[in-house]
Amino acid sequence: MSIPQYLRQISLKIGNDTEAIDLSELRIRFSVRRGTISTPNTADIRVYNVSAATARKAQLKEFGRVVLMAGYAGNYGVIFDGTIKQVRRGRESQTDTYLDITAADGDSAYNWSVINMSLAAGSTAQDHLKSAVQAMEGRGVTMGDSGVLSTNKLPRGKVMFGLTRDVLDNLGRTQDVSWSIQDGKMTLIPNTAYLPGDAIVVNYQTGMVGLPEQTQNGVNVRMLLNPSVKIGRLLKLNNSSIQQVRYDPNVLAEADVVKQKIQNDFNTDGMYKVLIADHYGDIRGNEWYTDVICISVDATLTNESMIRAGVGLPGAIQVPGTVKPYG
């Protein structure tokens, strides 16, 4: 069932839980970039005609957190929760001034969190993840969504030291997961799975703008701003509405074309996993969109069939096959 997409809503608050500046009644423009990669999500927010006193207050360290919510009546939620990196004041015209806010999500933990810990023999991947998150908690990152990691126990002790993100990168490679920080939460999504929950139906009745387009990087689709679209969630598209990519007819490019077809093929049931979800809009302008890049997944696989195949994770993209090192 579709939710009517009208009556825009927005909320912008700067500060902590005890004291905050509410700028929701002013004109706000924003551009939020979110992805499955570990590089922190970012946001650029412009607020018009802020008083000088409020602008100075927004630059204080204790008001470093920024929470942006947007959407429509009935479909409204957080699209960015992070910390302010820079505040700039300027004038757009003779009558309008602006306050520009550049913010990042979890960048302090990403750039500066270090780990110095040793675990006894018998530790598992879940123990390594827990230790990494504990090292980041002092910089505002807590545990969020995570799939079931391997329960294999190491026969010897494990030493973890250096930047925490390097430990997580190594964990991602060994466990075949993508880690990222989403609204201050450590999020791990298996590369062969997606977040649980019903697929979000995207068509002309639910706010799709234009037609989806297949590219070398995935399927691009634009819709009216939808805060329910999260990294790793499922979208349901109508394959007949997707504009197909043109492959290179050069015989020398055949290997690249084959790889593109394998990596970016259509799903028979129209199920696609969100890799990138960018939100941008103007509460008093025309822009109010969510741009998504997604890839095909097989949502018909059941837990039982995957456990038999040795995956053990709900929502696998495909059952693992034999390794073919020579193609």
Side-chain angles (χ1 to χ4, degrees):
M1 183 176 67
S2 63
I3 298 175
Q5 303 279 23
Y6 64 91
L7 297 179
R8 296 181 184 180
Q9 294 186 355
I10 193 167
S11 170
L12 175 63
K13 294 183 179 180
I14 302 172
N16 51 41
D17 295 333
T18 58
E19 185 178 4
I21 305 169
D22 192 344
L23 304 176
S24 306
E25 298 301 321
L26 301 176
R27 179 187 176 186
I28 300 171
R29 290 173 54 191
F30 59 87
S31 176
V32 177
R33 294 161 292 277
R34 306 173 69 111
T36 56
I37 57 177
S38 58
T39 304
N41 300 328
T42 60
D44 285 299
I45 305 169
R46 172 166 289 191
V47 188
Y48 286 86
N49 299 321
V50 178
S51 68
T54 301
R56 285 193 297 269
K57 201 172 184 180
Q59 293 174 308
L60 298 177
K61 186 176 182 180
E62 58 265 30
F63 291 94
R65 183 186 178 193
V66 57
V67 179
L68 178 64
M69 302 176 66
Y72 294 90
N75 188 17
Y76 174 68
V78 175
I79 60 173
F80 184 83
D81 186 347
T83 54
I84 296 175
K85 310 312 300 178
Q86 185 183 11
V87 176
R88 306 178 304 278
R89 297 181 63 191
R91 181 173 293 277
E92 193 169 88
S93 66
Q94 293 180 339
T95 58
D96 292 326
T97 62
Y98 62 80
L99 182 74
D100 272 355
I101 299 171
T102 299
D105 180 9
D107 71 306
S108 177
Y110 179 85
N111 289 314
W112 307 112
S113 174
V114 294
I115 188 171
N116 184 11
M117 185 179 299
S118 60
L119 299 178
S123 64
T124 64
Q126 193 66 41
D127 296 326
H128 307 158
L129 172 62
K130 182 179 178 180
S131 300
V133 174
Q134 286 178 348
M136 287 187 166
E137 283 180 350
R139 297 187 177 273
V141 174
T142 57
M143 194 63 226
D145 293 317
S146 173
V148 180
L149 302 181
S150 171
T151 57
N152 294 336
K153 296 182 179 181
L154 296 183
R156 292 181 291 274
K158 181 176 180 62
V159 176
M160 296 181 290
F161 65 94
L163 289 173
T164 309
R165 70 175 187 237
D166 293 337
V167 173
L168 289 168
D169 286 341
N170 183 61
L171 182 68
R173 286 189 293 268
T174 58
Q175 298 296 309
D176 195 22
V177 299
S178 296
W179 72 272
S180 60
I181 301 172
Q182 305 292 334
D183 299 327
K185 302 289 186 180
M186 175 60 62
T187 303
L188 275 74
I189 303 175
N191 294 325
T192 56
Y194 45 83
L195 292 181
D198 295 335
I200 300 173
V201 178
V202 181
N203 53 40
Y204 73 95
Q205 294 177 316
T206 61
M208 186 175 72
V209 178
L211 293 173
E213 181 180 3
Q214 182 188 30
T215 69
Q216 295 181 0
N217 297 321
V219 176
N220 297 354
V221 58
R222 170 177 289 184
M223 65 194 78
L224 296 178
L225 196 145
N226 190 340
S228 299
V229 177
K230 303 291 186 181
I231 301 302
R233 281 203 64 177
L234 278 184
L235 299 184
K236 183 172 178 59
L237 304 175
N238 186 345
N239 286 337
S240 63
S241 67
I242 301 177
Q243 308 302 295
Q244 298 184 22
V245 67
R246 175 189 181 274
Y247 294 114
D248 191 343
N250 191 333
V251 66
L252 298 178
E254 182 177 356
D256 291 335
V257 170
V258 171
K259 182 173 67 174
Q260 290 176 30
K261 288 182 177 179
I262 294 175
Q263 294 178 340
N264 189 25
D265 197 9
F266 288 169
N267 174 257
T268 305
D269 298 315
M271 294 296 186
Y272 296 86
K273 171 184 173 182
V274 176
L275 298 183
I276 293 176
D278 295 340
H279 308 282
Y280 62 95
D282 183 346
I283 190 62
R284 300 181 187 175
N286 293 324
E287 295 181 344
W288 200 256
Y289 301 125
T290 295
D291 283 345
V292 172
I293 299 178
C294 52
I295 59 171
S296 168
V297 298
D298 186 355
T300 62
L301 293 178
T302 64
N303 294 351
E304 182 180 354
S305 65
M306 287 185 313
I307 291 174
R308 287 200 307 267
V311 180
L313 292 173
I317 293 176
Q318 61 181 12
V319 177
T322 57
V323 177
K324 299 180 181 179
Y326 304 108

